[in-house]
Amino acid sequence: GEDVEQSLFLSVREGDSSVINCTYTDSSSTYLYWYKQEPGAGLQLLTYIFSNMDMKQDQRLTVLLNKKDKHLSLRIADTQTGDSAIYFCAGIAPDGNKLVFGAGTILRVKS
Amino acid sequence: ETGVTQSPTHLIKTRGQQVTLRCSSQSGHNTVSWYQQALGQGPQFIFQYYREEENGRGNFPPRFSGLQFPNYSSELNVNALELDDSALYLCASTDWGEGDTQYFGPGTRLTVL
């Protein structure tokens, strides 16, 4: 089945760019997603990318997909203190019904 | 963006009891999924309901069961609660027309003592 791995922690200074990385095992995911979770809250969808795309940009967010290496990244430009949260990447299982999440990356933004 | 609501927000139960968690999906979304998120981990898929029928199940025992109703509401029932069932329970409704995207509710924090 699908397995998704992420680095556990990232610390950046306010105004810098943040890059959160993710690797996955199952290349049959149609879509790959990035979610944000603030303390005590549910998951907020940030963006998603179709598996036949290499890049998607959405305001401050840039998603890069390297299908050969099964590597997904999320770049946040001009990182703000409000971006401090846990970020999860997720793939959709081939049968289309379940999301498989990584363990999450804690992003800490220092002012 | 998300019209998914869940109740209650928090719940405390004792081992062996039964619990029902509720979710109201976004109008028009006929698919709801439930996830369990233990502390410090990513969400784990419990099961999915499509048009009131179970449409896939994760690695959870039968004491985890669900229902989906025609009015876009759903329930997660857990019998014979165990200490390890303490977690944040999330429901999500799917927009099949937009990246097959699952939109999550705020979750129910269940504590089993």
Side-chain angles (χ1 to χ4, degrees):
Chain A
E2 176 77 278
D3 191 23
V4 179
E5 293 189 0
Q6 299 180 236
S7 50
L8 290 182
F9 185 77
L10 176 66
S11 180
V12 301
R13 293 199 179 276
E14 191 174 20
D16 288 350
S17 291
S18 307
V19 179
I20 303 170
N21 294 300
C22 172
T23 58
Y24 57 97
T25 56
D26 191 337
S27 58
S28 63
S29 290
T30 309
Y31 296 98
L32 294 153
Y33 306 85
W34 284 101
Y35 284 88
K36 175 184 178 182
Q37 187 175 38
E38 299 187 43
L43 273 67
Q44 173 194 352
L45 175 71
L46 291 177
T47 188
Y48 66 91
I49 187 168
F50 190 46
S51 59
N52 70 353
M53 296 172 65
D54 298 323
M55 186 185 83
K56 179 179 181 182
Q57 187 151 3
D58 186 358
Q59 299 182 344
R60 291 192 297 126
L61 306 179
T62 303
V63 178
L64 295 178
L65 176 59
N66 181 328
K67 291 180 285 296
K68 175 176 171 290
D69 295 336
K70 299 181 183 176
H71 182 264
L72 182 72
S73 68
L74 174 70
R75 178 178 179 269
I76 305 173
D78 187 26
T79 313
Q80 303 297 307
T81 55
D83 294 324
S84 292
I86 303 175
Y87 290 79
F88 292 94
C89 68
I92 194 84
D95 53 12
N97 63 12
K98 73 174 184 182
L99 287 172
V100 179
F101 287 87
T105 299
I106 299 170
L107 174 64
R108 178 187 167 206
V109 182
K110 296 177 285 187
S111 57
Chain B
E1 173 194 87
T2 175
V4 182
T5 59
Q6 292 186 243
S7 63
T9 307
H10 296 89
L11 202 52
I12 299 174
K13 292 285 189 178
T14 56
R15 198 169 44 181
Q17 285 189 310
Q18 179 266 342
V19 69
T20 297
L21 309 182
R22 293 181 172 83
C23 172
S24 179
S25 301
Q26 232 168 292
S27 180
H29 290 186
N30 54 20
T31 304
V32 65
S33 304
W34 285 90
Y35 293 82
Q36 180 196 66
Q37 186 180 19
L39 202 60
Q41 298 182 21
Q44 298 291 316
F45 176 74
I46 303 175
F47 43 56
Q48 182 182 86
Y49 278 78
Y50 171 69
R51 293 184 175 178
E52 302 160 49
E53 298 284 333
E54 189 177 287
N55 183 44
R57 188 179 184 92
N59 189 26
F60 281 81
R63 60 190 184 83
F64 286 78
S65 62
L67 286 171
Q68 184 187 27
F69 304 101
N71 64 352
Y72 303 113
S73 67
S74 60
E75 292 179 353
L76 164 65
N77 299 287
V78 187
N79 294 321
L81 283 166
E82 301 177 0
L83 297 180
D84 285 349
D85 295 333
S86 294
L88 181 68
Y89 288 85
L90 298 159
C91 76
S93 68
T94 300
D95 183 344
W96 293 110
E98 184 64 32
D100 298 349
T101 305
Q102 296 190 20
Y103 292 98
F104 284 80
T108 294
R109 172 71 63 186
L110 173 65
T111 301
V112 182
L113 303 176

